[in-house]
Amino acid sequence: MMDIQAKIKSQTEKIFPELVELRREIHKHPELAYEEYRTAKLISEYLNALGLEVQEGVAKTGVVAHLKGEKKSEHSKVVALRADIDALPMPEETSHHFRSTIEGKMHACGHDAHTAIMLGVAKILSALKNHFGGTVKFIFQPSEEKLPGGAKPMLDEGVFENPKPDVVFGQHCIPQVPVGKLGFYAGAMMAASDELYFTIRGVGGHGSAPHRAKDPIVAAVQLVTALQTIVSRNMPPQEAVVVSICAIHGGSATNIIPNEVKLMGTLRTMNETLRKDAWQRLEEITHYTAKAMGVEAELEIRKGYPVLVNDKTVTEFAMACAREYVGEENTIVPEPIMGAEDFAYFLQVCKGTFWQLGVGNEAKGIVHNIHSTRFDIDEEAIAIGAGFTSYLTYKYLTLQ
Ligand code: ZN
C-alpha cells in the first residue's frame, strides 16, 4: 500500500499538465485588482466540477470554497489556504506563446501560478478526502497588488467564520529561490509598507531675488536630507527600516522659484511599534524643517499592509513537512524581505505561515524579478507548490 506522500506525488504528477494549462490560460488573460471576473469564473467552475461548496463574489471578485474530509476523526480541524488572483498594469515582454493577450496587463507576480497551484490542491485533496477529517477552506483573493488590498475586505465579510480556521497557509513565487526549493522564515518575514506624499508650499518669485521669495526647493532638499536621520538616528540599529524618497517634482525654468514642490516616498518597517515611531518622526521632521525654512509642508501617510509575521510553531511544522516532501537540502531559510503582502492581515487574526516557492532557473534564463516585464517561472514549481501544500494540509489535518 502506498503511503500518503507517494499518493500525493502520484496525483500531482497525473494532474500536472492540466495545472500548467490552467496557469497558462490565466496568464493569457490577466485581470487587475477587483476586475478578476474571468479568473473568478474559471476558479468557481473548476471547484464546482470537483463538487466543493463554492461561494462567489466574496469581496467583489473573490471565491471561497470548502472541502470536507470524510474520515471520522476526533480532532476536526480547519486549514485555510489562500491564493491571490490579480495581475499588474504593465506590458509583458516575454516570447511565450501563452503571453498576455491584453495590452498593458501582465501576470508579473506569479499570481496565475498561485491560483493554478491552489486549484491543484483542491483536486489532489478531493481525490484523497477519505484519508482525512476536518475541512479545507480555499480562499481565492482579489486585489493583492493594489491598496488597500483584498485580504481585509474578505475578512470583514467573514471569510474566517463558518468555519473558523485553526491555521492559514499561503505562498509566493520567488525567482531568486531556485525551483525545487522552499523558503521558510519564523517571525517577521515581510515589511509593513506605507506610502508618503509631501507637499511643500512656499512663495515663488524670480530666481535672481530669492530674498523676496520663500523657496520650496531648498526646503524640499533639506527635508529629504533630514528624513535620512529617522533610520540613522531614531531607529535601533538592529532593526530593518527603510525611508526612501523616490520622486521630487517642482519648478519649470532656470530663473523661476516655484510656489510648490511635491515629494513621494515609501516607509518600510518590520515591527508595528517602530512603524508608529517612524510616522511620528516623519510628521515632526516635515513640520519643523518647513518651519525652519519659512515654508509650509503637509505630509499624507497612506497606510499600507502590516508586517507579515509567521507563527514560529506553525513555521517549524511546515519546515518539517517540507524536509519530508522536498528534502533537507531543498528546505531553506531565506532573508526577510522589505516587500509587503496583504496575507499579513490573515496572519493577524489566525496563526499560520507564508513561504517562498522557488521558481528561478538560471540555466533556463528564468532570473527576472517579480514585477519585471520579463518575469517568468519554471513551471515545475507548480507541481512542487501543489504537492507540498496538499501534503502540509493533510499532515496538519491528521495531527493528533
Ligand atoms: Zn505577488
Side-chain angles (χ1 to χ4, degrees):
M1 198 184 129
M2 270 169 134
D3 74 351
I4 199 76
Q5 191 183 134
K7 281 200 173 92
I8 288 172
K9 284 187 168 158
S10 106
Q11 282 290 334
T12 307
E13 203 179 319
K14 207 169 92 191
I15 67 167
F16 178 59
E18 179 184 333
L19 299 186
V20 168
E21 275 319 302
L22 276 169
R23 181 252 162 170
R24 292 180 178 184
E25 175 63 21
I26 299 166
H27 191 88
K28 272 195 260 180
H29 303 97
E31 294 174 302
L32 304 185
Y34 291 126
E35 294 171 359
E36 309 95 332
Y37 293 104
R38 190 182 191 280
T39 311
K41 187 162 173 276
L42 177 150
I43 293 165
S44 44
E45 281 176 2
Y46 193 88
L47 298 173
N48 274 316
L50 293 175
L52 269 61
E53 286 169 29
V54 183
Q55 196 187 347
E56 293 171 64
V58 183
K60 199 170 174 189
T61 42
V63 181
V64 178
H66 293 100
L67 168 66
K68 291 202 167 71
E70 288 178 354
K71 191 176 175 185
K72 289 266 171 292
S73 83
E74 283 172 46
H75 318 275
S76 183
K77 294 192 191 67
V78 180
V79 174
L81 303 174
R82 174 272 209 171
D84 43 9
I85 66 173
D86 58 324
L88 285 158
M90 56 187 284
E92 174 160 0
E93 291 180 336
T94 75
S95 52
H96 291 308
H97 66 83
F98 57 86
R99 68 184 169 272
S100 172
T101 57
I102 301 168
E103 188 90 31
K105 296 183 189 176
M106 177 187 181
H107 266 292
C109 202
H111 300 186
D112 50 344
H114 303 165
T115 304
I117 285 169
M118 225 50 105
L119 292 173
V121 175
K123 189 157 196 172
I124 294 162
L125 291 178
S126 292
L128 298 172
K129 66 183 172 190
N130 56 341
H131 292 269
F132 60 86
T135 304
V136 189
K137 184 190 283 275
F138 293 93
I139 299 170
F140 292 88
Q141 182 211 304
S143 183
E144 192 284 323
E145 297 290 0
K146 197 172 168 206
L147 286 181
K152 189 75 175 42
M154 287 193 107
L155 285 165
D156 293 343
E157 287 188 24
V159 73
F160 270 12
E161 289 152 33
N162 303 320
K164 189 173 177 305
D166 296 290
V167 72
V168 61
F169 295 126
Q171 63 201 308
H172 205 292
C173 291
I174 303 287
Q176 287 77 28
V177 177
V179 65
K181 293 188 190 293
L182 298 170
F184 299 87
Y185 191 89
M189 187 180 81
M190 295 181 75
S193 161
D194 299 305
E195 297 179 350
L196 310 174
Y197 298 86
F198 303 84
T199 305
I200 297 134
R201 283 191 201 94
V203 177
H206 200 289
S208 68
H211 59 298
R212 287 196 241 280
K214 288 183 174 164
D215 188 349
I217 289 193
V218 172
V221 295
Q222 297 274 358
L223 176 58
V224 173
T225 307
L227 292 170
Q228 306 310 309
T229 62
I230 296 175
V231 174
S232 71
R233 306 289 88 181
N234 303 139
M235 296 292 142
Q238 300 82 359
E239 300 280 347
V241 180
V242 180
V243 176
S244 288
I245 302 303
C246 300
I248 174 161
H249 296 286
S252 57
T254 59
N255 58 355
I256 306 167
I257 294 170
N259 287 319
E260 193 178 272
V261 173
K262 285 187 181 279
L263 305 175
M264 290 189 280
T266 186
L267 168 70
R268 304 290 165 120
T269 43
M270 291 302 251
N271 153 339
E272 293 293 334
T273 309
L274 292 182
R275 185 186 189 192
K276 292 196 180 79
D277 292 348
W279 292 344
Q280 192 189 333
R281 287 304 290 146
L282 282 161
E283 294 283 1
E284 287 168 354
I285 291 173
T286 303
H287 178 74
Y288 290 110
T289 303
K291 206 164 164 102
M293 302 307 296
V295 298
E296 278 171 17
E298 249 172 56
L299 167 60
E300 184 197 344
I301 301 175
R302 285 188 208 158
K303 294 178 184 71
Y305 303 153
V307 183
L308 183 145
V309 185
N310 288 323
D311 180 86
K312 188 166 179 282
T313 313
V314 173
T315 305
E316 280 165 4
F317 179 79
M319 285 186 86
C321 293
R323 286 189 200 101
E324 290 166 14
Y325 196 84
V326 293
E328 180 87 44
E329 69 286 7
N330 291 319
T331 305
I332 63 167
V333 179
E335 294 279 307
I337 41 185
M338 301 309 281
E341 163 61 68
D342 73 348
F343 189 78
Y345 286 113
F346 294 121
L347 289 174
Q348 282 186 330
V349 290
C350 179
K351 66 181 194 265
T353 198
F354 188 75
W355 64 85
Q356 301 188 357
L357 173 69
V359 297
N361 191 330
E362 261 187 63
K364 292 187 191 166
I366 302 172
V367 294
H368 299 285
N369 205 359
I370 53 171
H371 294 214
S372 151
T373 53
R374 294 168 74 190
F375 170 77
D376 196 8
I377 65 163
D378 186 325
E379 289 177 324
E380 288 299 323
I382 294 172
I384 293 156
F388 170 69
T389 309
S390 301
Y391 184 64
L392 173 64
T393 304
Y394 167 85
K395 291 292 268 189
Y396 200 90
L397 287 172
T398 54
L399 195 64
Q400 289 303 306

